Amino acid sequence: MNGKHTLPADIERTSMAIITQELAAAGIELPPQHAAVVKRVIHTTADFDYAQSLCFTPDAVARGVAALRQGVSIVTDTNMAKAGVSKPSLAKLGGTVACFMADGDVARAAQENGTTRADAAMEKAAREYPGAVLAVGNAPTALLRLEALIADGLRPALVVAVPVGFVNVVESKERIFAACRAADVPAIAAMGRKGGSNVAAAICNALLYTAVDALDPARRGWQG
């Protein structure tokens, strides 16, 4: 073990350098506009499969960053993802992060309508934050509800579609990605079974750090 790297920022820079080296050794060349997001997810998961499985609609990163620079909010489908989103970066941009999964009205709506809380939470997000970044890391039913809402005219700033699991996960991500492309809604999705709340937060943070760097040139590029 190398005792040289002890400070968090130093560890992160070294980790990003290792990721860059290993991607190059594997012959993987990331599109420049996607590199910060993909590397941030690999950094969070230590899983290089995301270099292949993360999919982006045209200009998804640029449009997501532009929205965050305008102070749009982020809504997640789990409190774990909410906890992982960088609050200092959000504060610099004037944004907030919310999760409605534990709200009483969401629980009641899910029970009354025979749906999941994730489904009801996306309904609430559409009402209260129609132009937000919607980050889904756990519930396929949240993505299926978003698919219907987008068909009805909802236009979020960005959809992050990265649930993890085995039931309806692959299909829900494919469906929301296709729906977003058809409606010109920016989307980032982790195709296949892999994903999770940590991946949702990592994608949001990659976009937030890029947005903050644009405001503060002295920080530019620090995150790899």
Side-chain angles (χ1 to χ4, degrees):
M1 183 175 71
N2 189 342
K4 177 181 176 182
H5 304 293
T6 57
L7 296 176
D10 191 27
I11 292 170
E12 182 163 308
R13 288 190 191 95
T14 303
S15 296
M16 288 297 186
I18 292 170
I19 290 167
T20 300
Q21 292 165 5
E22 293 198 13
L23 287 169
I28 299 172
E29 185 174 350
L30 300 175
Q33 66 270 29
H34 301 161
V37 172
V38 176
K39 289 180 183 180
R40 178 64 50 184
V41 172
I42 294 172
H43 178 264
T44 297
T45 62
D47 189 342
F48 281 81
D49 285 354
Y50 286 104
Q52 307 291 347
S53 65
L54 281 174
C55 293
F56 302 76
T57 59
D59 299 320
V61 171
R63 292 171 69 180
V65 168
L68 291 169
R69 287 187 63 188
Q70 293 171 4
V72 305
S73 296
I74 297 172
V75 180
T76 68
D77 71 324
T78 65
N79 280 303
M80 183 183 297
K82 177 185 175 183
V85 172
S86 173
K87 310 307 184 297
S89 296
L90 268 174
K92 289 178 181 179
L93 299 169
T96 60
V97 59
C99 177
F100 300 129
M101 287 292 287
D103 290 7
D105 59 336
V106 167
R108 288 190 297 274
Q111 185 173 21
E112 291 169 1
N113 297 323
T115 62
T116 66
R117 288 195 183 196
D119 182 302
M122 288 301 109
E123 288 275 5
K124 184 171 181 176
R127 291 193 305 272
E128 299 196 7
Y129 295 91
V133 171
L134 303 176
V136 178
N138 182 67
T141 54
L143 294 184
L144 296 176
R145 175 50 54 196
L146 285 178
E147 179 189 20
L149 290 167
I150 287 170
D152 288 340
L154 179 68
R155 294 295 181 265
L158 174 72
V159 173
V160 176
V162 294
V164 60
F166 299 93
V167 180
N168 296 326
V169 169
V170 174
E171 299 86 349
S172 67
K173 288 189 270 193
E174 291 174 349
R175 285 173 58 170
I176 192 62
F177 195 77
C180 286
R181 284 182 66 95
D184 192 30
V185 172
I188 301 172
M191 296 306 187
R193 293 174 171 175
K194 292 182 180 181
S197 296
N198 59 332
V199 175
I203 291 171
C204 291
N205 286 339
L207 300 175
L208 285 167
Y209 298 153
T210 301
V212 170
D213 283 357
L215 300 178
D216 184 359
R219 284 174 42 91
R220 189 165 296 149
W222 74 270
Q223 78 275 21

